[in-house]
Amino acid sequence: QVQLMESGGGSVQAGGSLRLSCAASGPASGSFCVAWFRQVSGKEREGVAALYTGDDTTTYADSVKGRFTISRDNTKNTLNLQMHSLKPEDTAVYYCAARKDWLPALRRLDHYEYNWWGQGTQVTVSS
């Protein structure tokens, strides 16, 4: 059982930056797809960025390309999301997620594919 815990959320003005982290614990042998999702109340959970640990390939939603960067720190067993040029529409609860093994890139931002989730962290961007 993989356990995930996010940190780093908060409030920022439009144009600002935030860095989210997700600490992972539990069995970690083999390769995983790991990802960041976000959700606004009443809306479906949206994939933001994903990474496959087998080859470190990344996938981004069009809405965040060029502004967000997903990365991992193997020494700390953490997944990070660096967010720049934040917009009010980025306001949401952000979740990290993981699943074992490879996924095609087109499916890495689909929340149905993931079975381990963190509890979420709020990001609020004011105009």
Side-chain angles (χ1 to χ4, degrees):
Q1 181 77 7
V2 173
Q3 295 177 327
L4 304 171
M5 181 171 292
E6 303 91 342
S7 61
S11 297
V12 65
Q13 289 194 326
S17 299
L18 278 175
R19 182 179 177 88
L20 305 182
S21 292
C22 175
S25 60
S29 62
S31 299
F32 291 77
C33 280
V34 289
W36 287 96
F37 290 80
R38 64 188 182 188
Q39 189 167 25
V40 175
S41 181
K43 293 189 177 181
E44 189 172 3
R45 196 163 292 190
E46 174 193 18
V48 173
L51 182 151
Y52 173 58
T53 65
D55 58 12
D56 282 325
T57 52
T58 56
T59 305
Y60 293 94
D62 288 343
S63 58
V64 306
K65 277 181 183 175
R67 300 189 298 122
F68 291 11
T69 302
I70 188 172
S71 63
R72 64 182 178 129
D73 184 338
N74 291 338
T75 63
K76 299 179 181 178
N77 224 22
T78 59
L79 179 70
N80 301 307
L81 185 69
Q82 180 66 55
M83 305 184 292
H84 294 299
S85 302
L86 283 161
K87 304 175 182 180
E89 51 264 44
D90 295 318
T91 295
V93 178
Y94 283 71
Y95 299 88
C96 65
R99 60 154 285 152
K100 195 77 168 66
D101 296 325
W102 180 83
L103 272 175
L106 285 176
R107 288 163 54 188
R108 291 179 189 173
L109 297 182
D110 185 344
H111 64 91
Y112 295 108
E113 299 286 359
Y114 292 81
N115 49 349
W116 294 305
W117 292 87
Q119 83 291 347
T121 186
Q122 177 70 46
V123 171
T124 302
V125 184
S126 57
S127 56

